Amino acid sequence: MKILVVEDDPRLGEQILETLDSAGWVTELAQDGIDALYRATSEDWDAIVLDLGLPKIDGLTVLKGIRDENINTPVVILSARDTLSQRVEGLNAGADDYLTKPFEMIELIARIRAQLRRASGNASPLMQVGDLSLDTRTSKVMWQAMR
């Protein structure tokens, strides 16, 4: 899985890359809006982690440009813009999720995994193999003998 991380803070960008790399993903970093928009629209990505406060072009403009190109790659916004109206604006602009800074890396990983599951058509919390099923919401395992 290949993830584009768009973050203008070099230290935070590298921390995110290291975390996502250790979770098994291949990552690349864009540090401004122009580079982000170019890379997001010219390469295939499994997910994009997008900061909004970027130099050259802001993150919302990048997001709108991605969606204007009919690219459906899951986008998780990662931003210090934390008011309700800002979060709603980001989601209405086409983001699939919105995580405010400061954040925990483990939550970012969980949110990316959730978006990747949805994008692959596995959004259901119920997993089934043969007569065994697992409800990931409740952690209950059920067995029903097939007749």
Side-chain angles (χ1 to χ4, degrees), residues 34-59:
I34 292 173
D35 185 34
L37 183 56
Y38 173 75
R39 293 172 78 179
T41 58
S42 64
E43 296 180 48
D44 289 330
W45 303 96
D46 295 296
I48 299 170
V49 176
L50 178 63
D51 182 20
L52 295 182
L54 298 171
K56 300 182 182 175
I57 300 176
D58 71 274

Side-chain angles (χ1 to χ4, degrees), residues 16-127:
I16 294 169
L17 290 183
E18 288 173 14
T19 299
L20 300 183
D21 287 346
S22 69
W25 293 309
V26 175
T27 58
E28 293 183 28
L29 180 65
Q31 293 184 301
D32 66 65
I34 292 173
D35 185 34
L37 183 56
Y38 173 75
R39 293 172 78 179
T41 58
S42 64
E43 296 180 48
D44 289 330
W45 303 96
D46 295 296
I48 299 170
V49 176
L50 178 63
D51 182 20
L52 295 182
L54 298 171
K56 300 182 182 175
I57 300 176
D58 71 274
L60 276 180
T61 303
V62 171
L63 178 58
K64 289 174 184 172
I66 292 168
R67 296 307 186 219
D68 285 348
E69 292 293 320
N70 294 317
I71 296 170
N72 295 317
T73 302
V75 175
V76 176
I77 289 178
L78 186 59
S79 179
R81 298 178 187 176
D82 62 354
T83 67
L84 175 61
S85 62
Q86 291 168 323
R87 293 189 313 265
V88 168
E89 182 180 25
L91 293 167
N92 284 340
D96 298 283
D97 200 354
Y98 197 115
L99 183 59
T100 58
K101 297 176 183 177
F103 64 96
E104 296 293 329
M105 291 292 182
I106 193 166
E107 183 177 7
L108 176 61
I109 290 171
R111 287 174 182 261
I112 293 170
R113 284 183 179 145
Q115 292 306 320
L116 292 172
R117 279 194 312 272
R118 287 184 189 103
S120 68
N122 294 318
S124 173
L126 190 60
M127 300 167 59

